[in-house]
Amino acid sequence: MKPSAIVGILDRFLVEGLASGIFLAVQTHKVDEGGPTSVVRPQNRIGMITNGGITPSEYIAVLDGNTYSAVFQDGSIIYMECSFEGRTLTDHRYLFIPCPFDASLVSQRPDHFSLADWLRDSIELEGKDVFSSRGAFRFDCARNVSEEVKDPHPVSHLTIGSGDCRLPLRGPMPVSSFLNLVFDNFFRPYRQFWLQFAPYLNLDQSEVTIRQSEEILHHINWEPR
């Protein structure tokens, strides 16, 4: 599938999810062309998120800067960026950030307040007790990893809880596999909505990047579906 076609399907999924009340806010995506590489990404790129979690200021900065793919109604965030050479997926960064604020606080937001302003004001009034980070899940495929360094990163990996915790993945993940994980485990009531779009983003991705030395460690041996 061409990157431009992926953008079309991905944006349709997000816009229809917004209209259906699944998302609070979404960003359209675009294709950046650079030599042989095409990058599918939101209009605004996200910065580096703290490996051990996310601070109130970091979370609110993501909302203020619109540096996300979508914000769920409960305040959780997803971000999707992936690179292609031709139609082959080469690199990616997918983020799932569970909302780090109390769920009742998010649900009490008046319609005339943006979520960022509401949370900013809530912190000022109630202090940081309203904040409780549940970390972030970051799925990366990065080819510029040298096996000669002292502690090489797995090419494809899940970073969770700490920058030192990188679980090897079998290989690069299509967007559909990332969203399957999100909707299978965090937003089951909306799973049927997502599955209308899943077949169109399920790339024929069978590449294996895990090293033999990593296969004997705990790793994620996901399969395309």
Side-chain angles (χ1 to χ4, degrees):
M1 182 182 294
K2 292 182 179 179
S4 58
I6 293 171
V7 166
I9 296 167
L10 184 59
D11 281 354
R12 182 183 165 196
F13 156 68
L14 294 172
V15 170
E16 291 190 18
L18 179 66
S20 299
I22 296 171
F23 301 122
L24 178 66
V26 301
Q27 295 297 317
T28 58
H29 291 63
K30 66 177 184 176
V31 180
D32 275 348
E33 303 283 358
T37 302
S38 301
V39 181
V40 173
R41 67 173 183 86
Q43 298 293 327
N44 299 316
R45 272 188 161 137
I46 199 167
M48 181 58 70
I49 297 298
T50 304
N51 288 323
I54 184 169
T55 66
S57 58
E58 285 176 327
Y59 176 80
I60 291 173
V62 171
L63 297 177
D64 280 337
N66 297 324
T67 52
Y68 52 76
S69 294
V71 182
F72 284 89
Q73 284 289 344
D74 73 345
S76 297
I77 288 171
I78 51 174
Y79 177 89
M80 295 168 284
E81 178 176 325
C82 43
S83 302
F84 296 83
E85 289 188 7
R87 301 188 183 193
T88 301
L89 177 64
T90 56
D91 296 85
H92 60 69
R93 168 157 292 183
Y94 308 132
L95 269 166
F96 173 62
I97 306 172
C99 182
F101 286 85
D102 185 86
S104 62
L105 180 66
V106 176
S107 65
Q108 292 166 7
R109 177 184 62 88
D111 290 340
H112 62 280
F113 271 88
S114 72
L115 181 57
D117 287 342
W118 176 248
L119 295 177
R120 227 184 326 261
D121 290 350
S122 298
I123 291 173
E124 289 185 8
L125 291 172
E126 303 181 44
K128 293 188 178 181
D129 286 344
V130 297
F131 179 84
S132 179
S133 177
R134 291 182 282 159
F137 300 77
R138 195 177 79 219
F139 295 85
D140 288 315
C141 179
R143 306 282 175 162
N144 58 347
V145 179
S146 172
E147 296 191 39
E148 297 178 0
V149 300
K150 184 177 180 181
D151 184 20
H153 302 169
V155 174
S156 304
H157 59 274
L158 163 63
T159 302
I160 181 172
S162 165
D164 296 323
C165 180
R166 295 183 178 89
L167 292 177
L169 303 178
R170 183 184 67 86
M173 298 175 68
V175 172
S176 59
S177 294
F178 168 67
L179 291 173
N180 280 336
L181 182 144
V182 171
F183 283 93
D184 285 352
N185 297 283
F186 299 98
F187 296 100
R188 290 188 189 93
Y190 305 130
R191 186 169 178 271
Q192 289 305 122
F193 172 82
W194 152 244
L195 290 179
Q196 300 175 79
F197 300 89
Y200 304 102
L201 291 171
N202 190 16
L203 309 179
D204 181 16
Q205 193 69 32
S206 57
E207 182 186 6
V208 175
T209 59
I210 190 169
R211 303 180 181 97
Q212 188 174 9
S213 60
E214 294 164 347
E215 287 186 305
I216 62 174
L217 306 174
H218 285 289
H219 64 277
I220 299 176
N221 190 32
W222 68 272
E223 294 291 342
R225 62 177 172 88

